[in-house]
Amino acid sequence: MYHGNGGIMEKISFHIQTSKDGTVKVRFRLRDGRDVQLLHKSGIRCKIPDLAKLNPDGSTKDKVHVYNADLSALLKEEHRLMTTAYGLMKDKGMDMTSEVFEQEIESLRNPVVAVRKENPTIVSRFRKYADDALRTGIIGPNRHKHIIVVSDKLERFLIIKGISGITSEEFDVDYLMDFREFLFDEYQYVDKYESLYKGFKKKNIPQERLSMNTVTSQMKMFQTFFTELESVDEIRKSPFRRLSRERKKAVMRTKYDDPFFLRKEEFQMILSAQVPPSQEETRDAFVVQCAFGCRISDFQRLTMESISVSEEGIPYIHYIPQKTADSQEGNVEVQTPIVRYAFDIIKRTGFSFPILKNIYGTYGYNARIRALLQQCKIDRPVAQYNEETKTNDYLPLYKVGSSKLARKTHVDIMNKVQVDMYAAGLHKVGSSAVTRYTSMEIKDRFKLMNTAFDQGAYKVDNQLNVIE
């Protein structure tokens, strides 16, 4: 191959291995000057006479008119992958080894599924740690999914740094700090390393700087992995333990904004507002979620089968929270009474909210919640910490609303109608005796929730018909 300006570029030639059956396994050799010589096993098998008519780039040799067109197409594609992979390796400053070359070619060939061959690299070990933890029940599927996301980020970081073959023992403090910066600012690498993000859904491509809390959460997963390796003597010392106390405190810092939620009067505004037909389903789903306070992952799974009726005729939902299902000792269900306005919506809709199928994106549930809040003029300013300016920005509540706002609103509304169990001074805060002496039953929680949400008491039969 040649540069457009006439300068000599890399040269690709065949590196043939003949089989006993008369076919050949097509292999290639890429040379670039004296220092670079990379081998590639293509997996292509063909007959010697067919290959003899073609050049390594799939073109026909001089005076050849009859040739194997399928083989030509395969060679052209392999040649394209090799030149593209080599160009990326040079741009990234990667190790010029045949192993890295093969990995880059495979990443281009299968951009969605990362190559996960068993080898002693830190990436493969990180994934094995996650898979083993899932199999033994230490973590659940959701936690496993999050760890795999971090391992994929780690793999992209190492490829860009040109150190994809590094082991866990070799991953030192400097790499750790560089990886942390990469987690914050991965979006800055997307345009330069497009091949690493081919096949990604648009919503999964990094588009902005991550928040401190998100990065800290991902770093904690990484720290737990190193703690495991240290405990089984696979590494001498975790890079996290090589950080100074102050540096570690800064690296693992979590910063929360002042709490924000819908005030009771704001919630009532949304509940009673006249909204366009296009927003009615969003309003129904959102106010029902506010009544339950459950996470969106749990709310999506609720159906009419999730409803039971107590001995007193009180309808309630019950479910096992997905986030903690694998970490708790027993299968303890959450049981939440259904206040009247939520019951009426559920009966009318059959507990079916199609908008919950898509939570994120331009037209997802979260975006629709923000549009609903804007329609209802919920524009009270709330503080949002700005990572770049290190100050608070004050944004109208409708700009930061999401499904989490429903959970926060439920907790705040309920908190303001409960009596502090320690107010009498009989026990210190946190005393186990307080919870041992009492239990909040369905009928008690129903009374509190009716007070909190300004709803009247009612009863239903086992077929969910209102009887009083």
Side-chain angles (χ1 to χ4, degrees), residues 129-360:
Y129 153 77
D131 293 344
D132 289 347
L134 175 65
R135 186 170 55 253
T136 56
I138 297 173
I139 61 174
N142 285 339
R143 183 69 170 179
H144 178 266
K145 180 179 178 181
H146 291 318
I147 294 176
I148 294 300
V149 167
V150 178
S151 77
D152 289 343
K153 288 174 178 284
L154 175 63
E155 182 175 42
R156 293 194 291 273
F157 164 74
L158 295 176
I159 289 174
I160 290 171
K161 292 281 288 185
I163 51 173
S164 55
I166 196 172
T167 65
S168 304
E169 185 66 50
E170 295 168 323
F171 197 88
D172 59 21
V173 171
D174 290 335
Y175 289 141
L176 181 67
M177 298 305 294
D178 287 347
F179 180 50
R180 179 174 181 265
E181 289 304 310
F182 178 79
L183 291 176
F184 273 114
D185 296 320
E186 185 180 2
Y187 74 99
Q188 295 182 356
Y189 296 86
V190 173
D191 290 340
K192 187 174 181 180
Y193 303 103
E194 291 182 4
S195 66
L196 296 178
Y197 302 92
K198 284 183 179 178
F200 279 45
K201 292 182 179 179
K202 185 176 180 181
K203 68 179 182 179
N204 293 332
I205 297 177
Q207 298 178 9
E208 60 185 6
R209 182 179 172 86
L210 290 187
S211 69
M212 179 186 297
N213 291 357
T214 299
V215 171
T216 298
S217 174
Q218 294 176 347
M219 289 290 281
K220 286 181 178 179
M221 296 180 200
F222 205 34
Q223 182 183 31
T224 304
F225 160 64
F226 275 110
T227 300
E228 169 73 11
L229 296 187
E230 196 177 34
S231 68
V232 295
D233 296 326
E234 285 193 34
I235 59 174
R236 290 188 296 275
K237 192 173 184 179
S238 164
F240 285 89
R241 292 212 300 125
R242 297 178 189 273
L243 294 170
S244 66
R245 179 178 297 180
E246 289 303 314
R247 199 177 188 188
K248 184 175 182 180
K249 183 179 178 181
V251 167
M252 306 305 283
R253 182 170 68 248
T254 300
K255 188 177 183 66
Y256 293 100
D257 293 314
D258 289 337
F260 65 88
F261 39 78
L262 289 174
R263 292 171 178 165
K264 189 171 182 178
E265 59 271 22
E266 292 170 331
F267 173 76
Q268 292 294 341
M269 284 173 58
I270 296 172
L271 192 60
S272 60
Q274 294 293 322
V275 298
S278 61
Q279 292 186 332
E280 288 178 355
E281 184 187 352
T282 302
R283 195 255 301 274
D284 285 347
F286 180 69
V287 296
V288 169
Q289 190 184 0
C290 287
F292 298 154
C294 53
R295 298 181 182 89
I296 187 61
S297 58
D298 295 318
F299 189 48
Q300 288 174 301
R301 297 170 58 250
L302 296 179
T303 67
M304 296 300 289
E305 298 300 317
S306 307
I307 301 176
S308 292
V309 180
S310 73
E311 293 180 357
E312 298 83 9
I314 300 169
Y316 63 93
I317 59 165
H318 53 94
Y319 61 93
I320 298 175
Q322 292 299 291
K323 185 174 182 179
T324 57
D326 295 283
S327 60
Q328 61 186 16
E329 292 296 324
N331 296 321
V332 180
E333 290 189 320
V334 170
Q335 297 181 344
T336 305
I338 306 175
V339 293
R340 183 59 186 266
Y341 83 80
F343 179 82
D344 291 341
I345 292 173
I346 290 169
K347 285 279 285 186
R348 170 166 49 82
T349 62
F351 224 144
S352 175
F353 303 115
I355 59 171
L356 298 182
K357 293 179 181 178
N358 178 21
I359 304 300
Y360 308 103

Side-chain angles (χ1 to χ4, degrees), residues 28 46 53 194 205 269 351 403 420 430 438:
F28 297 88
C46 63
K53 296 178 181 181
E194 291 182 4
I205 297 177
M269 284 173 58
F351 224 144
S403 63
D420 187 340
T438 186

Side-chain angles (χ1 to χ4, degrees), residues 409-420:
T409 298
H410 176 91
V411 171
D412 180 73
I413 288 178
M414 289 298 297
N415 181 60
K416 287 173 179 173
V417 299
Q418 294 189 55
V419 176
D420 187 340

